Amino acid sequence: MSIPTIEFYWDSASPYTYLAATQIEALAARHGARVVWKPFLLGKAFEATGNRMPAAVPAKGRYLYKDVALWAQHYGVPFKFPKVFPVASLASLRIACALAEADVGRWALAVMQAYWSQDQDIGQPEVLKAVAGSLGWDGEALLAQAQTQPVKDRLKANTDEAVRRGVFGAPSFFVGDTLFWGNDRLELLEGVLSGRLAA
Amino acid sequence: MSIPTIEFYWDSASPYTYLAATQIEALAARHGARVVWKPFLLGKAFEATGNRMPAAVPAKGRYLYKDVALWAQHYGVPFKFPKVFPVASLASLRIACALAEADVGRWALAVMQAYWSQDQDIGQPEVLKAVAGSLGWDGEALLAQAQTQPVKDRLKANTDEAVRRGVFGAPSFFVGDTLFWGNDRLELLEGVLSGRLAA
């Protein structure tokens, strides 16, 4: 039997993506599934679909601020709303596209922890280099690779693919062809993965 | 000690409100809390806050369609996407404003079950009369009361109050001053109600 796969479209600029990222590997492990971490540009998906970031509605923005903190408390993960928001996540996503597939999840988690729990501006090259260093990687070399055309193309291709498959926000997950949007859908995703729910 | 209260702003036009309505009384009972069912006009809250219904983004509308069915399966409640959508929920909400507070929850559930699981157009007076009849009530009299100015004013006041408190969508719940938006926040609401989470 083949190993079930969870495809995870993530953008480090999204707080709910950080929350989901802290939970997804443990969820996958409970079902013998593997996670394929797919960096994509949430802003481009908003443009392509006509969706907007929550803070585009002021009342929703105020709600989000408290809501995210409550989820973090619920999961028992560290969280601090960053001073720089929204953040330029492009470089962090391009670096993800320069990595071997097996390393993407570690990078995603490390970069989102730096931004969403340590208030580090991941739009700054120095910050990204330090995060890479904390994983034992050569940040300078990664930043250089992130500027190459094949890497840029990969991020664009992931984004186009996500939109084509119906993604309009983040985090977005697929189990087969079934889309799950939001950390608040992990319960349904797990239901489908376990066979308790029929997608 | 006073009984904890969950205020529930509901509009029968909202599928996620139906889903939440099927769960909230059992949740409240687990914590010795009571539910105050507050009908309000979701469309007016959208206008006032700049928010939009999910289907305003086509990709989100397509997602909603499957997502709601999956939640219904998860909760084990009947669900059928209605042919008439969006529906004119105004009359059903005005009737709710004509009822004694203790009866509002029964009405809300009955009218949302008619619409969201039996594909009945609750914008039609005959349908509302039949739903009232199924509860042993005089539908004709309720429809007449629903047209009186004090009842209309009550619905408007609930809507204004909701927006003033930060509501921008439905379902919306309050425990004290803490807002919870969506059936997918019932877990957090329960966390706060039980004291496990600090709001």
Side-chain angles (χ1 to χ4, degrees):
Chain A
M1 220 177 88
S2 67
I3 296 172
T5 297
I6 302 167
E7 294 170 276
F8 177 9
Y9 289 94
W10 61 277
D11 183 326
S12 35
S14 150
Y16 294 109
T17 299
Y18 161 66
L19 291 167
T22 66
Q23 305 300 307
I24 192 66
E25 290 287 359
L27 187 160
R30 286 196 287 277
H31 302 280
R34 73 182 187 112
V35 182
V36 178
W37 294 70
K38 295 193 160 183
F40 84 119
L41 282 165
L42 176 58
K44 292 287 178 191
F46 283 159
E47 277 176 34
T49 60
N51 202 10
R52 302 177 294 184
M53 63 186 299
V57 176
K60 205 184 257 189
R62 284 188 291 274
Y63 175 73
L64 176 146
Y65 198 84
K66 293 184 182 177
D67 182 52
V68 173
L70 207 52
W71 275 110
Q73 202 188 138
H74 176 63
Y75 290 146
V77 297
F79 175 76
K80 188 180 177 187
F81 212 95
K83 281 193 285 289
V84 177
F85 179 78
V87 74
S89 58
L90 181 63
S92 72
L93 299 170
R94 282 183 174 160
I95 287 177
C97 290
L99 294 167
E101 193 190 297
D103 290 331
V104 178
R106 286 175 68 202
W107 171 251
L109 259 176
V111 85
M112 286 195 268
Q113 280 162 348
Y115 181 56
W116 289 110
S117 77
Q118 296 156 24
D119 197 9
Q120 295 181 45
D121 179 0
I122 57 169
Q124 303 300 324
E126 291 310 315
V127 169
L128 295 173
K129 261 187 263 185
V131 174
S134 76
L135 296 168
W137 301 344
D138 180 346
E140 197 77 59
L142 278 172
L143 275 166
Q145 284 173 55
Q147 292 304 316
T148 63
Q149 199 58 45
V151 164
K152 291 180 180 179
D153 289 348
R154 204 167 302 151
L155 183 58
K156 190 177 178 322
N158 279 4
T159 305
D160 292 347
E161 176 190 87
V163 170
R164 202 166 52 238
R165 297 178 77 181
V167 167
F168 53 86
S172 285
F173 302 91
F174 282 93
V175 173
D177 288 332
T178 304
L179 169 62
F180 300 89
W181 170 50
N183 71 296
D184 47 27
R185 293 305 185 269
L186 289 179
E187 200 174 352
L188 298 183
L189 186 156
E190 192 157 10
V192 168
L193 209 55
S194 69
R196 183 177 67 82
L197 301 176
Chain B
M1 220 176 88
S2 66
I3 296 172
T5 298
I6 301 166
E7 294 170 277
F8 176 10
Y9 289 94
W10 60 278
D11 183 326
S12 36
S14 150
Y16 294 108
T17 298
Y18 162 65
L19 291 167
T22 66
Q23 306 301 307
I24 192 67
E25 291 287 0
L27 187 161
R30 286 196 289 277
H31 302 279
R34 73 182 186 113
V35 182
V36 178
W37 294 69
K38 295 194 161 183
F40 85 120
L41 282 165
L42 176 58
K44 292 288 178 191
F46 283 160
E47 276 176 36
T49 59
N51 201 10
R52 304 177 293 184
M53 62 186 298
V57 175
K60 206 184 255 188
R62 284 189 291 274
Y63 175 73
L64 176 146
Y65 197 84
K66 294 183 181 177
D67 182 53
V68 173
L70 207 52
W71 276 109
Q73 202 188 136
H74 175 63
Y75 291 146
V77 297
F79 176 76
K80 188 180 176 186
F81 212 96
K83 280 193 285 289
V84 177
F85 179 79
V87 74
S89 58
L90 181 64
S92 72
L93 297 171
R94 282 183 173 161
I95 287 177
C97 289
L99 293 168
E101 194 191 296
D103 289 331
V104 178
R106 286 175 68 204
W107 172 251
L109 258 175
V111 85
M112 286 195 267
Q113 279 162 349
Y115 181 55
W116 288 110
S117 77
Q118 296 157 25
D119 197 9
Q120 295 181 46
D121 179 359
I122 57 168
Q124 303 301 324
E126 292 310 314
V127 170
L128 294 174
K129 261 187 264 185
V131 174
S134 76
L135 295 168
W137 301 344
D138 181 345
E140 198 77 58
L142 279 173
L143 275 166
Q145 284 174 54
Q147 293 304 317
T148 62
Q149 199 58 45
V151 164
K152 291 181 180 179
D153 290 347
R154 203 167 304 151
L155 183 58
K156 190 176 178 322
N158 279 4
T159 305
D160 292 346
E161 176 191 86
V163 170
R164 202 167 51 239
R165 297 178 76 182
V167 167
F168 53 86
S172 285
F173 302 92
F174 282 93
V175 174
D177 289 331
T178 304
L179 168 62
F180 300 89
W181 170 51
N183 71 295
D184 46 28
R185 294 306 185 267
L186 291 179
E187 200 175 353
L188 298 184
L189 187 156
E190 192 157 10
V192 169
L193 209 56
S194 69
R196 184 176 67 81
L197 300 177

